[in-house]
Amino acid sequence: MKKKIGVYVCHCGGNISDYVDIEKVKDAVRDEADVFLVKNTLFACADSSQKMMEEDIKTQGLDAMVVASCSPKLHLNTFRGVAQRGGLNPYNYVQVNIREQDSWAHSDNPAGATEKAIQLVKAGIARAKESEALTSMKIATTNAVAVIGAGVGGMRTALGLADMGTEVYLIEKSFFVGGRTAQWGSVAPTNDRGDVLTAGLFNEIQKRSNIKLFTGAELIEKKGSVGNFDIKVKIRPRGFDGNATTDEIQKAVKACPVSTMDEFNFGLTQRTAILIPQKGQYPQQPAIDKALCNQCGACQKINSSFQPASTNEEILSLHIGGFVANTGFDPYEPAKGEYGYGEIDNVITLPQFKRLIELNDNELVFKGKKVKKIAYIYCVGSRQDDDEGKNKYCSRYCCTSATHTGVTVKNKYKDVLNYHFNRGIRTYGKAELIYGQASQQGDVFLQFTLDSIPQVERKHNKTYVKVKDILTAGKTIETDADLVVLVTGMVPRENVELGHLLKIPEGRDHFFNEIHMKLKPVETVIDGVMIAGTSQAPKNILETLNSSMAAAAKVNSVLTKGELSLEPTLAKVNPGACTWCGKCAEACPFDAIVQVDNEGKMVAKVNEANCKGCGMCTPVCPTDAIDLDGFTNAQIGAMIDALAEL
Amino acid sequence: MTDNQNAAATCLDETQFDVMVIGAGIAGAESALKLGDMGYKVLLVEKEPSIGGKMILLSKVFPTLDCAACITTPKVSETARHPNITIHTLTEVETIQRNSDRHFSVQLNKKPRYVVEKDCTGCQECENVCPVITKDQFQFNLTARKAVYIPFNIANPRIALIDIENCMLCGACEKACPSNCIDFTQKEQQLQITAKSVIVATGFKLFDPISIERYGYGRYKNVITSMQMERELAPTRPFNNVLRPSDGKIPDKIAYVFCTGSRDHTVGNPICSQVCCMYSTKQAQLLMGALPMADISLYYINIRAFGKGYNEFYLQAKDMGANYVKGKIGKITEKENGNLILRFEDILTGKVTEKEHDMVVLSVGLLANPAITKVFKGEKLELDPINYVQQPNMLQSPAQTSLEGVFVAGTATGPMDIPDTIMSAGAAATETSSYLKRLS
Amino acid sequence: MSTKPKILVFSTEKISDPAIDLAGLLKKHYPNTVYTISVPCSSGIKPRWIMQAYEKGFDGVFIAADGTDCPYGESCVEKTSAIISVTHDLMRQKGLKPSQLKMAALCSVCADAFVAHINNFTKELAKKDN
Ligand SMILES: Cc1cc2nc3c(=O)[nH]c(=O)nc-3n(C[C@H](O)[C@H](O)[C@H](O)COP(=O)(O)OP(=O)(O)OC[C@H]3O[C@@H](n4cnc5c(N)ncnc54)[C@H](O)[C@@H]3O)c2cc1C
Ligand SMILES: Cc1cc2nc3c(=O)[nH]c(=O)nc-3n(C[C@H](O)[C@H](O)[C@H](O)COP(=O)(O)OP(=O)(O)OC[C@H]3O[C@@H](n4cnc5c(N)ncnc54)[C@H](O)[C@@H]3O)c2cc1C
Ligand code: SF4
Ligand code: SF4
Ligand code: SF4
Ligand code: SF4
């Protein structure tokens, strides 16, 4: 309880005193218990007034201070500063708003405004009396970050962080970095090659001593909170250690008896159990696919660097300050029979088509047949109807990528014809120029709606696409096609465990969800855990890079100082009253309440690094065992009592 | 730290900065905040009297429909209060010249407010007495203001300035001001500073539809722009309802004309503006809330609802009853009662059709704001073919420009919405910090 | 003057309190018997505080909630409603009318909405008192 309170009532040059009778207010509060002095000021915020208050605190030994003036939004920090300079704890200062919420709001009623001012100041005094000194705790933090996923996004995050002085552990699940971009060949809008982009990023990463790259690696454990996480990373054996010549590697691949579809080429080709890095994938060292290897030892006989029997899994323990999840997306896999996929031979997806273009240099050939007429069907797996499990969202990248692909094939193979069956082309922004280019080169655009989607049929040994085209007033148009390309959308990668480990919520579209789309688009509700790139929502490369570097900026700005000052207004549990029902932990959106043993009794405890001081946990406690600093029962109760008087 | 709050600032050296950010829209504010948080000394230069750019003037924002003011003001005040950020409002960059030590010498021109910044309490007594009435540019001329004025309610800093061109020098404000802060002797100030790096966050310009004569903007009173509609819909709106300008009637048949000044070679802007489909859809939803009986028709070419939650937002507007018409507007004509006849080709039927509306909103596009290139002396800040700041390494380092040490953020690189702007600003912060680390 | 119903408003520091400030700034008047206590988030208001207000003589309590603009996340809406319903139960036990507790989501510039709500609430309470 504070016993020597200084009260200052401000005129605000007439803004307050024209309506509120300042003298009356002073008289009314002068005799309140524990009020030591009452003064008025013309402008409390003026330098001279601030100096006076500082002197008063020092010479009179005030133990709390109240200023009745304008809204705390304007000057709370100013006067907290005054309190501090005078030697008071800033949280023993209380601001009372008698301008915006009194003199101005009731400028039609000066007597009423004065009456209200008296009540408000008394409530402020009551609050000051109950106020406690709070100090913002500081915790030391580690300037190191785990970046999960090494596609373009993750690699860019890593480089950004490293160049700002943060240690990076880049953790990639597959045996190669590069992600999806390595697969695409020429990309919109710059016509850069995807593999060249990933090669460039990897080269830069190689030059940074403060990036440690782990491939074949996965996060398996996480403890702690922002600034200080302890994690464990599991590294699978690569099955290759040492050197081998290109020739030897080729021989080993030939010798391997296993055959399966090659996921890099989306099943257009086969591979063995030896994974060979493709253009744009790094490190350029083979690995053995343990799931398929039958331990025949054929590869090892060619070069002993191949170690199919190796089982030396490694578990690394790391101490870090934050995370960036850059885990990317998967292309939507159409259902069997969706537009003939899986049933009609020459129906493929856009990702497959992008690979086909890479595999065909001079002539576009699919399954031995030359391709001239290409029908693209858009929005496959995106913008679906409302049913459960369907994707309502637009996948954003695909209109641009498909029109760009149309332009690319026309340039590369000359004699192709592109038919785009779309639902309204969404080449937003500068990508509109690519749409213009496609139209100009003679591509045909036909538009359909969800009620009447194109029909893909096999007739007379040919594949036909038929549609009711809304651009020609609903005329039915049919064309044969050598290749039907399904422009498939993006879906989030299966990453249930990671989502669980890091406690990242999912949005309705099942991508990772940010805390606030505009204010904090790369942050999650868990402090220190960022999401970036296509793990958050569909994006193109440019947008992936921007969000990745934004995540880097955010996490670096938190960790770079080496210490974190925590909000001083935190929730506090009274262990005596707590019966650990868990309700508060459930209510806290920030995962800030943990269960601890308190002298043999399980009780709730607030993790200070996570608590944001919202107070959501306080009303749900059945035994009223949680209070929020600055808004305790004692303080709010005293204010209510003071306001109710009269 | 705003310029009216510089008590603590005097002890800092106010002429040497790590970064100068040009433009204090949401892009500039976000880059400044991130760099300030990293510990760099940032100078934020804004030519307008308030920071916050276009966003602070918007109504609600798609696709979440949160109130723009509610989400802008906290960012803006955090910027203003930040100990590492110095803000100069009403200030323009005159020249930027690279020195031999690779730092930039910058000449700034700070316009006078004629109000002593640190003393003004924002009480508006001066506004009450000023006899001059002139158009309010922050309400996009929908309403009037005084010659001495606070730009808008949530302006930051929220202090008065005098529009000296319209002032009659009557002195009434001087007498009325309780804190004696009117000062007619203020002059333009030339400030000389140095910065180790620069971020260009100068944003976009709005397309002025006056050049598309067939839409009648400027001639027909009830043809307004989407930005004017933003103001009519904002919680801080000038009227208490949505009104049409000709007679103050509450409109009940409102049309939107998409792609006004975008995707249009004839006006020299071939690209899509990326935000207008969505902001029109947002306005349609807000209008249906405010005027439940109104008919809202949106004339579009394609709907670009591509971002997270955007397609869902568009479907929601359709479900609420917004009438999307695929059709290009040929011409608008005005009837005697102020109503407007839209002539368009209805793509679905293939027929040329006419429809009457009592108010038309032009969904104006975004244009590049390239003037900033002129201030660089001795070297050239390259622009792309449509006049946005060029990103020579777009798919590797999107915030880089043609000049070393000069980075770019937000809509200065091309049209984009707020979430993309925030991310681009974050990228610029990363790039700038990396550069500064290399320099030292 | 003090026959006017007394209302305690719980506002939130970042969202609804600025709206109440703005009402004053724009000199939009409302009864002077309306007092505001500001807290970080409307879902941190304890039912016992509300009950204490009635006990000590307030006629009505108004919660100026954050709604979906809440800086602490969207769960705020649901949680604030839960607090209201718990309090309604307590109020019934004490013989108070549920209509003495009102809630509305206010954005940071919803000054008009605040004044309209408060004026209506005052009128309603005054009617019931007679
Ligand atoms: C057919 C097609 C064409 C495209 N064309 C273009 C184009 O022309 N222009 C353009 O700009 N964009 C294009 N894109 C989009 C582009 O591919 C993406 O924007 C980009 O790849 C996203 O990068 P990312 O890092 O977010 O994700 P990804 O590339 O998916 O990388 C994610 C990485 O994270 C790893 N990972 C996942 N989970 C874990 C885990 N739990 N632990 C560790 N590692 C994990 C993955 O193995 C992968 O390496 C195209 C996309 C498709 C499908
Ligand atoms: C009608 C309309 C509605 C919109 N609605 C939405 C919406 O609902 N949701 C959404 O996500 N997006 C919306 N947007 C888009 C949004 O406005 C932009 O994404 C955002 O404002 C871009 O911010 P910025 O900082 O890049 O640019 P700006 O807001 O343009 O800021 C640039 C700043 O730089 C200053 N400046 C310029 N040149 C100089 C110079 N030479 N010296 C000093 N300062 C300078 C300007 O004064 C300005 O303050 C809308 C846009 C419009 C037009
Ligand atoms: S970007 Fe185009 S193809 Fe992709 S989902 Fe959206 S509308 Fe469909
Ligand atoms: S105050 Fe908020 S953030 Fe802190 S523990 Fe309680 S609910 Fe969690
Ligand atoms: S001096 Fe100018 S600004 Fe001041 S009241 Fe007169 S006209 Fe208005
Ligand atoms: S966003 Fe929509 S209205 Fe704007 S230019 Fe693009 S297509 Fe036209």
Side-chain angles (χ1 to χ4, degrees):
Chain A
M1 288 280 270
K2 300 294 156 198
K3 300 225 165 297
K4 277 185 104 176
I5 304 173
V7 180
Y8 301 86
V9 186
C10 182
H11 288 245
C12 193
N15 283 303
I16 296 172
S17 55
D18 285 354
Y19 313 101
V20 171
D21 184 338
I22 306 282
E23 285 309 315
K24 231 177 169 169
V25 176
K26 282 171 61 188
D27 289 343
V29 303
R30 199 183 311 276
D31 297 329
E32 286 281 293
D34 308 318
V35 168
F36 186 78
L37 63 83
V38 181
K39 289 187 175 175
N40 54 340
T41 59
L42 187 57
F43 286 106
C45 56
D47 267 357
S48 54
S49 306
Q50 293 193 23
K51 292 238 166 63
M52 170 186 80
M53 294 183 220
E54 280 168 41
E55 279 309 301
D56 285 350
I57 299 170
K58 278 184 209 151
T59 57
Q60 316 276 343
L62 301 180
D63 61 3
M65 176 170 104
V66 174
V67 176
S69 60
C70 53
S71 165
K73 270 127 250 150
L74 294 170
H75 281 311
L76 179 69
N77 287 329
T78 315
F79 296 122
R80 275 188 179 161
V82 170
Q84 196 154 27
R85 287 194 297 278
L88 266 184
N89 181 285
Y91 292 86
N92 291 131
Y93 165 71
V94 171
Q95 176 138 359
V96 178
N97 181 349
I98 56 166
R99 193 175 78 170
E100 284 82 351
Q101 295 190 2
D102 189 23
S103 71
W104 282 350
H106 312 300
S107 58
D108 58 336
N109 176 7
T114 305
E115 216 174 281
K116 179 171 174 180
I118 293 170
Q119 301 295 111
L120 290 173
V121 177
K122 283 184 177 171
I125 294 167
R127 185 177 191 183
K129 242 188 258 182
E130 296 290 343
S131 67
E132 276 163 46
L134 302 175
T135 36
S136 65
M137 235 182 45
K138 292 209 161 116
I139 52 169
T141 56
T142 310
N143 194 4
V145 170
V147 178
I148 319 279
V152 268
M155 289 197 280
R156 198 64 190 78
T157 305
L159 284 172
L161 282 169
D163 288 352
M164 292 188 285
T166 300
E167 261 319 289
V168 180
Y169 301 104
L170 181 54
I171 298 165
E172 168 59 48
K173 192 183 206 168
S174 84
F175 286 112
F176 311 104
V177 306
R180 296 283 170 206
T181 300
Q183 294 174 287
W184 304 150
S186 172
V187 292
T190 53
N191 298 325
D192 284 312
R193 289 188 49 87
D195 55 76
V196 175
L197 294 175
T198 55
L201 287 167
F202 179 74
N203 278 337
E204 289 299 317
I205 284 175
Q206 292 296 89
K207 289 184 206 153
R208 307 290 189 287
S209 59
N210 53 352
I211 302 180
K212 308 226 165 28
L213 169 66
F214 305 104
T215 52
E218 258 177 287
L219 183 73
I220 53 165
E221 199 183 297
K222 177 213 99 177
K223 284 201 200 110
S225 51
V226 59
N228 295 288
F229 292 103
D230 285 300
I231 61 167
K232 289 211 165 86
V233 178
K234 183 173 88 180
I235 303 173
R236 287 177 290 145
R238 194 175 186 93
F240 182 91
D241 189 14
N243 286 307
T245 64
T246 328
D247 193 43
E248 282 168 335
I249 293 173
Q250 259 164 19
K251 273 194 192 135
V253 169
K254 274 219 185 83
C256 177
V258 175
S259 176
T260 186
M261 68 158 229
D262 186 346
E263 37 305 72
F264 192 82
N265 288 325
F266 300 101
L268 293 177
T269 58
Q270 295 289 112
R271 67 162 170 88
T272 67
I274 300 173
L275 297 163
I276 303 297
Q278 311 275 333
K279 260 199 273 178
Q281 288 193 311
Y282 297 89
Q284 287 275 333
Q285 259 196 347
I288 292 178
D289 181 349
K290 285 275 155 159
L292 293 175
C293 167
N294 63 18
Q295 303 284 341
C296 72
C299 51
Q300 200 162 21
K301 280 182 207 127
I302 292 160
N303 182 311
S304 61
S305 298
F306 287 98
Q307 295 162 3
S310 147
T311 51
N312 52 354
E313 216 173 67
E314 219 185 312
I315 308 275
L316 281 177
S317 297
L318 302 169
H319 186 73
I320 57 166
F323 291 93
V324 182
N326 264 109
T327 49
F329 71 99
D330 272 328
Y332 170 79
E333 177 67 16
K336 193 170 154 72
E338 195 175 352
Y339 297 111
Y341 185 74
E343 288 172 350
I344 300 172
D345 228 14
N346 52 351
V347 177
I348 63 171
T349 64
L350 181 63
Q352 288 177 314
F353 188 45
K354 295 286 281 182
R355 290 311 307 158
L356 189 68
I357 300 166
E358 290 308 294
L359 297 168
N360 283 266
D361 268 344
N362 305 314
E363 236 189 355
L364 187 59
V365 176
F366 183 70
K367 299 210 165 145
K369 278 208 200 116
K370 193 163 153 45
V371 174
K372 277 192 128 169
K373 266 191 180 176
I374 307 165
Y376 302 81
I377 299 177
Y378 284 59
C379 302
V380 179
S382 315
R383 298 178 66 189
Q384 294 170 315
D385 56 27
D386 233 343
D387 294 353
E388 196 53 39
K390 295 285 180 71
N391 302 328
K392 251 177 122 172
Y393 57 86
C394 161
S395 290
R396 184 169 191 161
Y397 87 96
C398 20
C399 275
T400 302
S401 176
T403 45
H404 176 261
T405 304
V407 172
T408 308
V409 287
K410 189 104 176 178
N411 281 336
K412 189 165 175 183
Y413 309 112
K414 310 291 183 246
D415 56 348
V416 294
L417 287 171
N418 295 312
Y419 294 84
H420 302 266
F421 296 82
N422 66 82
R423 289 178 59 194
I425 291 286
R426 293 184 169 175
T427 42
Y428 56 88
K430 296 182 199 168
E432 187 71 11
L433 300 173
I434 300 172
Y435 180 25
Q437 221 179 329
S439 307
Q440 215 149 43
Q441 72 179 14
D443 283 17
V444 179
F445 287 85
L446 304 119
Q447 196 174 329
F448 65 93
T449 60
L450 196 54
D451 321 322
S452 75
I453 59 170
Q455 302 301 312
V456 183
E457 271 175 347
R458 193 76 189 159
K459 289 187 291 199
H460 328 294
N461 237 349
K462 269 192 161 176
T463 302
Y464 288 87
V465 185
K466 188 166 79 180
V467 78
K468 227 174 102 189
D469 174 32
I470 64 171
L471 298 181
T472 48
K475 233 197 277 172
T476 299
I477 295 177
E478 187 175 54
T479 173
D480 60 306
D482 303 318
L483 199 60
V484 177
V485 176
L486 305 184
V487 179
T488 46
M490 290 187 177
V491 296
R493 283 192 197 244
E494 287 281 348
N495 252 322
V496 190
E497 302 100 275
L498 186 75
H500 267 325
L501 265 180
L502 297 184
K503 297 215 167 72
I504 309 177
E506 262 182 21
R508 257 172 305 185
D509 52 12
H510 301 298
F511 286 90
F512 286 158
N513 222 11
E514 67 288 340
I515 188 167
H516 190 290
M517 195 161 184
K518 309 217 169 50
L519 295 178
K520 300 176 171 186
V522 295
E523 290 164 65
T524 69
V525 288
I526 308 300
D527 263 356
V529 177
M530 313 286 138
I531 49 176
T534 48
S535 70
Q536 182 257 352
K539 289 182 184 65
N540 62 24
I541 297 170
L542 170 67
E543 293 151 357
T544 296
L545 297 180
N546 275 336
S547 90
S548 299
M549 290 203 282
K554 175 65 205 177
V555 71
N556 174 270
S557 73
V558 173
L559 300 177
T560 187
K561 290 166 230 116
E563 64 173 22
L564 199 68
S565 35
L566 304 176
E567 272 292 321
T569 45
L570 302 174
K572 282 217 176 71
V573 179
N574 169 0
C578 174
T579 58
W580 182 254
C581 62
K583 289 218 168 93
C584 53
E586 227 171 85
C588 175
F590 305 106
D591 197 25
I593 297 183
V594 290
Q595 192 187 7
V596 294
D597 188 335
N598 182 48
E599 295 166 6
K601 179 177 145 202
M602 293 317 280
V603 295
K605 186 179 175 296
V606 175
N607 177 342
E608 279 130 352
N610 279 4
C611 176
K612 298 233 192 333
C614 63
M616 289 195 197
C617 51
T618 62
V620 302
C621 177
T623 58
D624 210 354
I626 297 202
D627 249 345
L628 186 64
D629 281 337
F631 302 87
T632 58
N633 283 336
Q635 284 180 293
I636 302 285
M639 287 176 80
I640 295 172
D641 289 352
L643 291 175
E645 254 179 54
L646 231 143
Chain B
M1 208 158 35
T2 44
D3 16 26
N4 68 329
Q5 243 181 335
N6 56 4
T10 40
C11 51
L12 290 169
D13 181 352
E14 283 304 292
T15 62
Q16 282 177 343
F17 297 91
D18 295 313
V19 195
M20 171 173 71
V21 179
I22 313 172
I26 196 67
E30 176 73 10
S31 326
L33 269 178
K34 285 290 160 295
L35 287 159
D37 283 349
M38 290 173 191
Y40 295 106
K41 262 193 77 187
V42 183
L43 173 67
L44 184 54
V45 180
E46 171 57 55
K47 69 173 166 41
E48 298 292 335
S50 169
I51 61 176
K54 314 277 194 307
M55 184 178 168
I56 203 167
L57 298 171
L58 299 178
S59 55
K60 303 207 167 191
V61 282
F62 65 77
T64 39
L65 285 188
D66 13 30
C67 143
C70 299
I71 59 176
T72 322
T73 33
K75 262 227 166 149
V76 158
S77 39
E78 200 185 332
T79 313
R81 273 204 312 264
H82 203 291
N84 290 337
I85 303 174
T86 303
I87 300 176
H88 284 308
T89 51
L90 277 181
T91 301
E92 277 189 67
V93 179
E94 300 265 278
T95 58
I96 301 178
Q97 178 112 43
R98 199 187 298 263
N99 295 335
S100 51
D101 60 0
R102 292 159 80 194
H103 297 182
F104 297 96
S105 273
V106 180
Q107 171 125 1
L108 299 173
N109 180 354
K110 194 171 170 83
K111 307 257 163 23
R113 254 181 201 271
Y114 304 106
V115 169
V116 180
E117 293 173 351
K118 68 177 195 347
D119 292 342
C120 176
T121 66
C123 69
Q124 289 176 298
E125 295 295 339
C126 53
E127 273 188 17
N128 291 339
V129 298
C130 176
V132 174
I133 290 180
T134 182
K135 279 185 178 168
D136 186 347
Q137 73 273 35
F138 293 104
Q139 303 291 359
F140 297 87
N141 303 341
L142 288 171
T143 52
R145 61 157 171 83
K146 297 297 183 69
V148 58
Y149 68 109
I150 288 176
F152 44 92
N153 277 325
I154 50 173
N156 191 311
R158 196 184 168 281
I159 51 179
L161 73 152
I162 292 176
D163 163 6
I164 206 72
E165 276 173 18
N166 286 303
C167 167
M168 315 184 324
L169 297 173
C170 70
C173 50
E174 205 169 4
K175 285 187 213 102
C177 176
S179 44
N180 280 328
C181 50
I182 307 283
D183 175 4
F184 285 103
T185 66
Q186 285 186 354
K187 296 257 151 25
E188 259 181 23
Q189 269 175 287
Q190 298 293 327
L191 306 173
Q192 197 75 46
I193 64 113
T194 62
K196 293 179 192 157
S197 61
V198 175
I199 294 180
V200 177
T202 44
F204 63 94
K205 287 196 304 203
L206 281 167
F207 174 76
D208 183 354
I210 204 120
S211 62
I212 305 185
E213 266 182 46
R214 57 181 210 281
Y215 290 169
Y217 180 76
R219 280 180 295 133
Y220 307 156
K221 282 212 172 107
N222 294 328
V223 177
I224 65 168
T225 68
S226 48
M227 200 65 198
Q228 289 175 315
M229 185 55 98
E230 279 302 322
R231 292 310 301 159
E232 289 214 23
L233 287 167
T236 50
R237 60 184 164 221
F239 320 120
N240 260 331
N241 214 327
V242 177
L243 305 176
R244 68 174 201 169
S246 74
D247 48 12
K249 183 175 132 269
I250 294 180
D252 57 26
K253 288 185 99 179
I254 304 171
Y256 276 83
V257 180
F258 281 40
C259 302
T260 302
S262 313
R263 306 178 69 184
D264 185 349
H265 286 274
T266 62
V267 298
N269 187 29
I271 68 166
C272 155
S273 291
Q274 201 156 321
V275 297
C276 14
C277 280
M278 285 305 293
Y279 75 55
S280 307
T281 297
K282 163 192 78 180
Q283 293 187 357
Q285 289 200 14
L286 295 174
L287 282 168
M288 287 186 284
L291 313 168
M293 302 309 289
D295 162 89
I296 319 284
S297 298
L298 302 103
Y299 296 88
Y300 72 97
I301 309 177
N302 303 109
I303 299 290
R304 267 124 197 213
F306 52 83
K308 184 165 182 162
Y310 293 10
N311 201 49
E312 294 87 328
F313 188 75
Y314 159 55
L315 295 176
Q316 180 178 312
K318 281 175 105 172
D319 282 347
M320 289 168 72
N323 176 29
Y324 284 84
V325 184
K326 191 170 170 79
K328 247 190 147 165
I329 301 295
K331 193 175 159 89
I332 300 174
T333 42
E334 186 181 39
K335 294 208 340 188
E336 213 140 278
N337 63 0
N339 284 4
L340 302 150
I341 313 268
L342 270 65
R343 193 180 161 79
F344 62 99
E345 191 197 332
D346 186 337
I347 306 282
L348 293 188
T349 60
K351 293 203 180 75
V352 175
T353 312
E354 287 192 346
K355 205 175 155 204
E356 186 169 331
H357 293 274
D358 50 15
M359 188 160 168
V360 170
V361 183
L362 301 176
S363 299
V364 289
L366 277 51
L367 297 179
N369 178 18
I372 195 68
T373 51
K374 293 198 204 94
V375 307
F376 288 90
K377 299 297 166 203
E379 51 189 356
K380 190 157 177 235
L381 183 71
E382 299 286 350
L383 299 176
D384 74 6
I386 23 197
N387 274 341
Y388 287 96
V389 175
Q390 193 188 60
Q391 300 163 280
N393 280 318
M394 187 192 277
L395 299 187
Q396 288 129 55
S397 286
Q400 278 178 11
T401 68
S402 60
L403 298 179
E404 211 198 340
V406 179
F407 303 95
V408 61
T411 50
T413 67
M416 60 177 90
D417 53 34
I418 297 159
D420 281 349
T421 299
I422 298 270
M423 292 196 262
S424 151
T430 289
E431 203 82 71
T432 307
S433 168
S434 304
Y435 172 78
L436 290 169
K437 285 257 150 69
R438 276 199 301 275
L439 261 194
S440 59
Chain C
M1 198 146 306
S2 32
T3 55
K4 272 189 270 178
K6 241 176 133 157
I7 300 176
L8 180 63
V9 177
F10 282 104
S11 65
T12 66
E13 288 175 333
K14 296 215 175 69
I15 305 289
S16 65
D17 205 55
I20 303 175
D21 278 0
L22 188 61
L25 198 73
L26 302 174
K27 307 234 162 101
K28 299 198 189 255
H29 300 134
Y30 53 88
N32 70 308
T33 43
V34 173
Y35 301 86
T36 304
I37 293 180
S38 184
V39 294
C41 168
S42 47
S43 33
I45 300 167
K46 291 189 182 179
R48 65 174 277 179
W49 299 343
I50 304 174
M51 297 309 293
Q52 185 181 346
Y54 297 124
E55 261 160 50
K56 293 289 161 79
F58 278 96
D59 303 293
V61 174
F62 182 86
I63 300 202
D66 282 350
T68 45
D69 292 330
C70 178
Y72 303 105
E74 279 179 26
S75 70
C76 174
V77 180
E78 205 184 296
K79 286 174 185 154
T80 308
S81 320
I83 290 165
I84 301 281
S85 81
V86 169
T87 315
H88 273 155
D89 287 344
L90 294 174
M91 289 168 70
R92 258 178 241 125
Q93 286 166 27
K94 295 264 163 182
L96 294 160
K97 282 172 270 156
S99 60
Q100 285 174 272
L101 174 60
K102 274 254 145 71
M103 177 188 79
L106 290 183
C107 80
S108 69
V109 283
C110 288
D112 288 321
F114 171 72
V115 174
H117 278 300
I118 282 299
N119 285 338
N120 282 339
F121 195 22
T122 309
K123 257 186 239 147
E124 256 174 61
L125 290 169
K127 243 188 268 159
K128 296 221 169 80
D129 279 356
N130 300 332

